[in-house]
Amino acid sequence: MATYNPAADHSTNFFGDVCNNFDYAAQFTTHDAGLLDQIKSCNSVYRFRFPIRRGNGFEVIDAWRVEHSQHQSPTKGGIRYSEMVNEDEVMALAALMTYKCAIVNVPFGGAKGGIKINPKNYTLQELENITRRYTVELAKKNFIGPSIDVPAPDYGSGEREMSWIADTYATMNPGQLDAMGCVTGKPIALQGIAGRKEATGRGVAIAVRECVSVGEDMQKIGLLPGISGKKVIVQGLGNVGYHSAKFLAEFGALIVGLCEFEGAIYNADGLDIDAVFQHRKATGSILGYPGAKQEFKHSLEGLEQPCDILVPAALENQITIANVKNIKAKIIAEGANGPTSPEAEAIFYANGGMIIPDMYCNAGGVTVSYFEWLKNLSHVAFGRMNRRFEENMNLNMVNMVEGITGVALTPMQRSTIIKGASELELVNSGLEDTMIRSYHEIRETYKNNEKIDTLRTAAFVCAINKVAVSYQNLGVWP
């Protein structure tokens, strides 16, 4: 039995799917219906429109910001720039952010934003005008601020857009000491943090590595434990997909397939992710890459090729009832939000597969965003205060050991042992610890209740319990 009964009548919208999963998991908790309804509902949905100048005329832009839960403050979530974005999608993603933050023990409520545009259709100046006007509209309604609601990059946005948001907010709030904490995912030069750009992809890779390290679970799905030699197909060569593939390869996996909107490539002997990336940068397509043994003009065909692990890291609803029976992977690691439909998930589990759910698997981004927010509030880079102290302590230890043993270490050995941690190393350490602890917390919930049938349900149960405790402790005012 899987999280969702495909025979049941249900809503086909994204937010409806999230709520259905929530309701299914809620039966494994002891909270009353009123509290569960408070947790599930979106607290604030702000839909607005604003004009921009284009040529000699105007264009009206549709935009949203949804704050799903204020059980922790501020709320947190990215801003999506896409022609496909709509209110239902933003509400669903905001809800997933609440549960995601709870799962990885990041003290934020969930939020999400959306601007209904295709960034490729606008000039740089027009994009800047849209982003700054969006920020102003949020500020007018108190939907942004370091202690209120903190946006981040999402599909279609990045460091550049976050810089514009930070500058606009700071300009509108002169003298606010923590103004740069109003948004995360900023460039390092603008009080960003090392490791943020690759954090989501690194988190996906750590989640996969941790999952396949559990021998008991791998035996049930017919795989040997360990990441080494596992064949992986990744959908999406954007920030998340590229870094997921890169770090999985570094951990010892074999990247055999890559899928993008223009098509897919496959080589059972492995693909060089950096070479494919450079080829696409030069030609505009992954097709034609000389190291590929098979090409598919339809991207979704690439998902159906032989592999052990499939990482959908593009958009939602990529694995559906129409193609799930052709998926040959034993594990789906959801790098994107909502890439697997509820019906497809039920079939995949029934066929002996396993899914690492999105709200845990891609939580690396919000985890490191939390670190960036802390850095902005403290106004001190991680490692700056203690790095030299650690190096001096380590040096004294090495000198003492060499004096006692009479064995001199090589310069390379000494420098490796003595070196203090940089900001990047501390960030990666914090991310790895978070992902490992959270996975085993979810797995324990999964294993300790035989009625909980998927990791997604277990993740929802963990999230619901944590959010419920926060609401219970806050009470109701007035």
Side-chain angles (χ1 to χ4, degrees):
M1 184 179 178
T3 301
Y4 194 79
N5 178 6
D9 182 28
H10 66 280
S11 172
T12 57
N13 61 70
F14 191 8
F15 185 60
D17 289 342
V18 174
C19 290
N20 286 339
N21 281 325
F22 179 98
D23 290 339
Y24 184 86
Q27 66 182 305
F28 303 113
T29 71
T30 59
H31 310 296
D32 67 74
L35 179 57
L36 291 172
D37 186 50
Q38 170 62 36
I39 296 170
K40 181 171 65 173
S41 303
C42 290
N43 288 356
S44 304
V45 180
Y46 180 28
R47 181 190 185 280
F48 53 101
R49 308 183 84 208
F50 57 85
I52 62 162
R53 291 187 182 276
R54 293 200 81 183
N56 296 323
F58 295 89
E59 180 179 331
V60 178
I61 306 294
D62 289 293
W64 294 266
R65 186 70 182 173
V66 174
E67 293 174 351
H68 175 260
S69 175
Q70 273 99 1
H71 72 285
Q72 299 273 11
S73 291
T75 52
K76 187 85 182 73
I79 303 171
R80 180 165 291 197
Y81 289 50
S82 170
E83 285 181 309
M84 305 301 292
V85 75
N86 56 61
E87 188 169 304
D88 173 79
E89 179 183 50
V90 179
M91 290 172 65
L93 294 171
L96 286 173
M97 280 301 301
T98 292
Y99 311 136
K100 183 181 301 185
C101 291
I103 286 165
V104 293
N105 299 302
V106 167
F108 291 139
K112 208 73 176 183
I115 303 177
K116 195 177 182 67
I117 61 168
N118 181 348
K120 295 179 182 178
N121 295 339
Y122 296 83
T123 67
L124 183 65
Q125 186 60 59
E126 287 169 344
L127 279 176
E128 182 174 352
N129 291 345
I130 290 169
T131 303
R132 289 184 182 275
R133 179 60 184 267
Y134 178 82
T135 307
V136 170
E137 295 297 327
L138 294 183
K140 283 160 60 176
K141 298 294 185 181
N142 212 29
F143 266 72
I144 186 172
S147 62
I148 299 167
D149 188 351
V150 181
D154 196 82
Y155 182 83
S157 61
E159 290 183 347
R160 179 184 64 189
E161 288 76 18
M162 300 308 106
S163 298
W164 293 334
I165 292 172
D167 180 63
T168 305
Y169 180 84
T171 301
M172 294 184 66
N173 295 272
Q176 186 175 121
L177 185 63
D178 298 326
M180 288 299 155
C182 75
V183 67
T184 60
K186 304 181 295 294
I188 299 275
L190 204 65
Q191 299 183 38
I193 195 168
R196 172 61 184 86
K197 184 175 182 180
E198 62 269 29
T200 306
R202 182 184 286 275
V204 170
I206 294 169
V208 172
R209 185 189 66 187
E210 206 57 28
C211 174
V212 300
S213 70
V214 182
E216 176 189 353
D217 295 346
M218 293 304 99
Q219 185 178 8
K220 288 182 178 179
I221 62 174
L223 292 178
L224 294 173
I227 190 68
S228 181
K230 291 288 188 299
K231 293 187 176 182
V232 181
I233 292 175
V234 177
Q235 182 195 34
L237 204 56
N239 182 47
V240 178
Y242 169 76
H243 286 106
S244 297
K246 180 177 185 293
F247 292 120
L248 281 168
E250 287 184 9
F251 292 162
L254 191 67
I255 309 301
V256 296
L258 292 168
C259 311
E260 258 295 348
F261 70 88
E262 69 268 13
I265 57 175
Y266 183 85
N267 185 341
D269 297 323
L271 297 165
D272 184 330
I273 181 69
D274 285 316
V276 175
F277 185 81
Q278 292 303 322
H279 172 80
R280 188 169 193 252
K281 188 175 181 181
T283 67
S285 173
I286 61 174
L287 300 178
Y289 173 65
K293 291 185 177 178
Q294 289 179 272
E295 286 191 354
F296 308 93
K297 290 185 178 179
H298 298 290
S299 178
L300 291 180
E301 287 186 66
L303 306 181
E304 301 172 1
Q305 303 312 304
C307 67
D308 300 312
I309 302 163
L310 174 62
V311 182
L315 292 172
E316 62 269 8
N317 208 37
Q318 299 299 297
I319 302 166
T320 67
I321 197 169
N323 65 353
V324 67
K325 291 181 180 179
N326 298 325
I327 301 296
K328 298 175 178 64
K330 291 292 187 180
I331 298 172
I332 295 175
E334 296 183 328
N337 288 309
T340 312
S341 74
E343 300 93 332
E345 178 171 16
I347 294 170
F348 190 72
Y349 267 94
N351 291 338
M354 183 178 187
I355 295 178
I356 307 174
D358 50 4
M359 56 186 184
Y360 158 71
C361 192
N362 63 30
V366 74
T367 300
V368 176
S369 278
Y370 172 53
F371 300 158
E372 180 180 338
W373 181 73
L374 292 176
K375 176 183 177 180
N376 295 157
L377 298 187
S378 66
H379 303 276
V380 178
F382 290 107
R384 180 170 183 175
M385 298 290 287
N386 58 351
R387 183 174 181 179
R388 293 299 176 185
F389 177 78
E390 288 179 359
E391 289 183 353
N392 289 331
M393 290 288 289
N394 294 340
L395 177 60
N396 291 336
M397 183 66 70
V398 167
N399 290 338
M400 183 179 69
V401 171
E402 286 182 334
I404 293 172
T405 63
V407 177
L409 299 176
T410 66
M412 178 65 73
Q413 290 172 329
R414 285 176 65 88
S415 63
T416 301
I417 295 171
I418 291 169
K419 180 179 176 294
S422 66
E423 179 174 84
L424 178 60
E425 289 166 330
L426 290 169
V427 165
N428 289 341
S429 174
L431 172 60
E432 184 171 15
D433 182 68
T434 298
M435 297 302 293
I436 291 173
R437 285 175 179 268
S438 299
Y439 180 77
H440 289 287
E441 185 178 342
I442 294 168
R443 185 178 177 275
E444 282 301 305
T445 301
Y446 179 44
K447 291 297 180 183
N448 290 339
N449 188 332
E450 61 182 17
K451 293 182 180 180
I452 294 178
D453 44 21
T454 69
L455 287 175
R456 190 186 312 279
T457 300
F460 265 100
V461 170
C462 289
I464 291 169
N465 286 335
K466 291 175 184 178
V467 177
V469 168
S470 293
Y471 274 124
Q472 287 168 337
N473 288 337
L474 287 169
V476 179
W477 186 90

